[in-house]
Amino acid sequence: MPPMRRAVLAVAAVLLLLLAGCDGGSSDDPEADPSTSAEAATTSADPGPVVECPRDTQEIDPALPDAVPAGATSVRLCDGGAGKVAPPGEALTTDVASVVDAVNAQPLARGGCADLRVPEFQLAFGYPDGARFVVAGRFSGCAELLVGSERRAKARPPLRTFVESLRTQLLDGTPPGPGVTAEELDCSQPAPAVAVFPPTDLAVAALCFGVVDRPADAVRVPIEDEELTTLVRSMQADTSSSQGSLDCAVFARKEYWIVGATAWGDPVTAQRGCFGLVVEGYEEWVPRGAALRIVRRLVAGAR
């Protein structure tokens, strides 16, 4: 079974450090909306035109409804303008209604919010007639959703629902391949604050050795397919939580990290955490056994 498919089964949702912050919002019960009815069940074999990401960041618009309209047939995760998200190459075209419902189920935000930062992510919903409805969200502070004419609380649940649904969709699909070789990978590949695909989804990878803040000067060593399979298995088993750890100081010293891509061509970066490479959320990987021997050989080849 390919590493990506194993990881999809093993990991249900993406929860990184920025997603673990305050959700904000009120304690009001979620307000009912027609778009959460059975009419919004838009799973279809032919979604029609698939939505694309907007060029701009969505803002509150009094002319729009305060909920995502029913009938969406695709939804795509997009950057909000802060450069914190690496949008997946694929849009969700199955179970779109679950993401619509997850947005509309959030209560309207009461009171003002001092958090005026640029949203970190956007969810663009597409409709059969080519129309688009965009929801913007923040991860920390007020953690609001900007939905049409209103602000809604708790940006995390809709994003989590999108990730779970997309990963399920990809599990049932045929990946086109990474689109890049291990020799072509770039150590300067960014590590977004929100990663839809964890390192356990890697289909091609290279180890980089150098100073993290100067990735262009790092030495890249391609990882062979069999070695990568061993490393991914270790990433799934040899992890520990760094939550509450105080040993997170960053020093300008040479160390290793891993860059790569999934079988769908989405970039993945396993960056340094408190004591290992971050796999997902607070989980960090410290290789053992055969995986440790592979890492040592790769690092030695980069020195």
Side-chain angles (χ1 to χ4, degrees), residues 20 48 68 107 118 121 137 154 159 171 180 210 215 219 227 259 280 282 291 295:
V68 180
V118 175
F121 77 94
K154 299 182 180 179
L159 179 61
L171 180 64
V180 65
V219 177
E227 293 178 329
V259 298
E280 193 159 9
Y282 291 103
V295 168

Side-chain angles (χ1 to χ4, degrees), residues 226-286:
E226 291 185 2
E227 293 178 329
L228 181 58
T229 297
T230 300
L231 296 184
V232 167
R233 287 174 179 167
S234 177
M235 290 177 187
Q236 294 168 340
D238 302 325
T239 63
S240 299
S241 176
S242 62
Q243 189 168 11
S245 175
L246 300 178
D247 185 24
C248 294
V250 177
F251 301 98
R253 62 187 182 192
K254 288 188 175 182
E255 54 191 4
Y256 75 89
W257 67 96
I258 292 176
V259 298
T262 71
W264 292 88
D266 292 288
V268 175
T269 300
Q271 59 185 338
R272 297 295 301 183
C274 293
F275 53 80
L277 297 190
V278 177
V279 175
E280 193 159 9
Y282 291 103
E283 292 299 307
E284 297 188 18
W285 170 58
V286 178

